[in-house]
Amino acid sequence: MELSQIKTCSVALLVIATTLPISLASYGQVGGSEHRYAYVDFSSGSLDENIGDNSNVTAIKVGGQLPMDQRWLATLDYSARFIHLENTTTEIYTLLPGIAARFDVGSGFEVVTGAKVGMQWARLTDDDTDIKLESSNEFVWGADVGLIYNITPRWRLATDAELNRSDILDVEIYSLRADYRFDSGFTVGGFYSHRDSDRGSTNEGGVALKLFF
């Protein structure tokens, strides 16, 4: 198993170990705030020039959101991305705590916008020798805005735009997702993301899990 795959599995196991007690505690109730949750997203995709080929981009993103009052939210996002080219693998890890504000705009619609600051770590490795070719870590900041449409108490659609800026990578992310909420207080959904950066573009799809508490 490759080093990057081991790291991905380790993060996934950590998320499961952390969220399972919450899941069991909330079983049988819709309960909890709509804006108090932990989440995990798994995705894969291709660089634009490789659309139709095997996936060469994989990622996991975990985090959560905690209301501070009726409007303001504390947020936390951590992502691990792996870009597999012909002979190398690029690993990018990003930690972004932040703050957001939500606005009810009527007819089931909400707008959520926020700002984040944190750190980003990157490493380029030769796949044949497992030798580290480059590595760096930098300050990163970001901002996002999203539109949420609550179709029913269980079905939700959302679209959002996000930008992240660092000396390692500048990227804009545009996403569309749909989620279904179960009685036990968690949602399962799917999403599509298009990412534009100074190093190229990717198209990715994935599965989203969200746990309310």
Side-chain angles (χ1 to χ4, degrees), residues 67-146:
M68 295 184 289
D69 59 26
Q70 293 298 314
R71 167 130 329 157
W72 294 99
L73 310 164
T75 65
L76 179 64
D77 302 289
Y78 171 79
S79 64
R81 297 179 54 78
F82 309 97
I83 303 171
H84 309 281
L85 299 179
E86 187 173 348
N87 298 308
T88 62
T89 296
T90 299
E91 304 172 43
I92 302 174
Y93 305 93
T94 307
L95 179 65
L96 281 170
I99 190 168
R102 58 174 294 272
F103 305 90
D104 290 316
V105 292
S107 302
F109 286 94
E110 297 177 57
V111 172
V112 178
T113 183
K116 311 168 186 179
V117 294
M119 290 295 296
Q120 191 168 71
W121 300 265
R123 180 169 70 175
L124 177 65
T125 304
D126 186 293
D127 290 338
D128 295 328
T129 63
D130 203 30
I131 293 175
K132 181 171 62 177
L133 303 177
E134 298 177 18
S135 66
S136 59
N137 57 84
E138 300 289 346
F139 172 82
V140 60
W141 64 272
D144 61 78
V145 59

Side-chain angles (χ1 to χ4, degrees), residues 189-201:
F191 64 92
Y192 162 79
S193 294
H194 176 76
R195 301 172 64 96
D196 279 323
S197 74
D198 48 3
R199 299 187 182 184
S201 300

Side-chain angles (χ1 to χ4, degrees), residues 14 17-18 33 51 63 96 108 127 131 137 166 181-183 203 205 208:
L14 178 61
T18 302
S33 166
I51 291 177
L96 281 170
D127 290 338
I131 293 175
N137 57 84
S166 75
R181 183 164 180 172
F182 293 87
D183 283 342
N203 292 285

